[in-house]
C-alpha cells in the first residue's frame, strides 16, 4: 500500500499539458481541487493511451440500456479546458498506471504510480517484496463529462507536436529533417 496517496474524488480541474517545445516537451497530468495541485510527469504514449482508453470505457458504459450514468456522446462544451498548466512542481514521474470504472459514483478512476527500481530493471529477480511496494500514488476520480473533456484535450495536446514527414513518417524537427527512405 502506498505511504502517500494524492487523492482527488471530485477535482476542480484534471488535464494533460506540456512544458517545452515540440520535440522536447514534457507531458504532465495535473489535478487540482481547491488549492491542492498535483502534477505528475508522464510519457507522450501514456497520455495518448490514457485518452484512448477513457473514451473506450465511456463508449462501453454508454451502451448500457437507458444510459443510466448519463455518459455524453461528445465533449460537453462547458467542460472544455484549453488553459495552460498551472505552476508545475513535479510530484513524480509515472511508471505504472491503471484505469477503471466505478459504477456507484459513475466516475472514471485513474491510478498512477511512480517509476520504481522494479520498472527500471524488471529482469532482476533478487528484488524483495518491499522494493516492489510503491511509496506514493495519484488517485483521481472523474465524472463522465469531465472524463470526456479530459480525453479530448489530451488527444489535442498529444497531436500538437512536431509535424510528420510525408516520406518517411518520422517527426520533422524545427531545424530541419533528413529522412532515409526505406529500401525497395
Amino acid at each position: 500500500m502506498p505511504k502517500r496517496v494524492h487523492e482527488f474524488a471530485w477535482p476542480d480541474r484534471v488535464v494533460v499539458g506540456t512544458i517545452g517545445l515540440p520535440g522536447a516537451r514534457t507531458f504532465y497530468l495535473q489535478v487540482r481541487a481547491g488549492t491542492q495541485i498535483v502534477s505528475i510527469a508522464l510519457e507522450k504514449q501514456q497520455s495518448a493511451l490514457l485518452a484512448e482508453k477513457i473514451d473506450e470505457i465511456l463508449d462501453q458504459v454508454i451502451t448500457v440500456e437507458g444510459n443510466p450514468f448519463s455518459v455524453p456522446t461528445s465533449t460537453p462544451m462547458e467542460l472544455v479546458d484549453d488553459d495552460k498548466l498551472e505552476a508545475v512542481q513535479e510530484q513524480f514521474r509515472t511508471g505504472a498506471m491503471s484505469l477503471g470504472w466505478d459504477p456507484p459514483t459513475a466516475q472514471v478512476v485513474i491510478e498512477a504510480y511512480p517509476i520504481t527500481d522494479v520498472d527500471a530493471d524488471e529482469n532482476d529477480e533478487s528484488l524483495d517484496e518491499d522494493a516492489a511496494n510503491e511509496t506514493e500514488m495519484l488517485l483521481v476520480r472523474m465524472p463522465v463529462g469531465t472524463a470526456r473533456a479530459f480525453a479530448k484535450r489530451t488527444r489535442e495536446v498529444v497531436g500538437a507536436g512536431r509535424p510528420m514527414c510525408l516520406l518517411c513518417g518520422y517527426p520533422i524537427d524545427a531545424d530541419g529533417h533528413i529522412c532515409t527512405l526505406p529500401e525497395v
Side-chain angles (χ1 to χ4, degrees), residues 16-29 40-44 47 85 88 90 93 157:
V16 165
T18 61
I19 295 178
L21 297 173
R25 298 184 297 171
T26 302
F27 285 74
Y28 290 96
L29 169 57
I40 61 171
L42 65 166
E43 297 295 324
K44 179 180 181 178
S47 303
L85 293 174
V88 174
E90 183 178 314
R93 178 159 288 284
V157 168

Side-chain angles (χ1 to χ4, degrees), residues 57-71 101 103:
I57 287 173
L58 294 175
D59 290 344
Q60 184 177 8
V61 171
I62 203 170
T63 64
V64 174
E65 187 175 332
N67 191 11
F69 302 109
S70 301
V71 177
W101 171 252

Side-chain angles (χ1 to χ4, degrees), residues 3-168:
K3 293 179 184 172
R4 183 167 185 200
V5 177
H6 307 281
E7 185 171 359
F8 295 85
W10 293 90
D12 298 326
R13 183 176 198 223
V14 55
V15 296
V16 165
T18 61
I19 295 178
L21 297 173
R25 298 184 297 171
T26 302
F27 285 74
Y28 290 96
L29 169 57
Q30 187 173 78
V31 189
R32 178 178 46 80
T35 59
Q36 180 188 10
I37 298 176
V38 172
S39 302
I40 61 171
L42 65 166
E43 297 295 324
K44 179 180 181 178
Q45 294 82 2
Q46 287 175 307
S47 303
L49 190 59
L50 187 57
E52 176 186 331
K53 295 301 180 184
I54 285 174
D55 273 338
E56 283 181 16
I57 287 173
L58 294 175
D59 290 344
Q60 184 177 8
V61 171
I62 203 170
T63 64
V64 174
E65 187 175 332
N67 191 11
F69 302 109
S70 301
V71 177
T73 55
S74 61
T75 303
M77 292 311 296
E78 66 274 10
L79 297 178
V80 171
D81 183 345
D82 291 328
D83 292 339
K84 294 181 179 189
L85 293 174
E86 297 177 45
V88 174
Q89 288 188 338
E90 183 178 314
Q91 198 66 41
F92 59 83
R93 178 159 288 284
T94 306
M97 295 182 81
S98 69
L99 185 62
W101 171 252
D102 183 22
T105 63
Q107 291 179 310
V108 172
V109 180
I110 299 172
E111 293 180 357
Y113 301 90
I115 292 176
T116 63
D117 291 339
V118 173
D119 294 333
D121 188 7
E122 292 178 3
N123 298 326
D124 185 356
E125 295 179 22
S126 66
L127 294 173
D128 61 31
E129 189 174 314
D130 290 337
N133 289 335
E134 310 296 341
T135 59
E136 195 169 16
M137 76 172 282
L138 173 67
L139 174 62
V140 181
R141 297 174 180 275
M142 288 186 280
V144 293
T146 301
R148 275 283 189 222
F150 174 87
K152 178 183 185 298
R153 175 192 168 115
T154 301
R155 283 190 310 277
E156 290 169 356
V157 168
V158 167
R162 296 174 288 171
M164 301 304 253
C165 175
L166 297 175
L167 297 174
C168 69

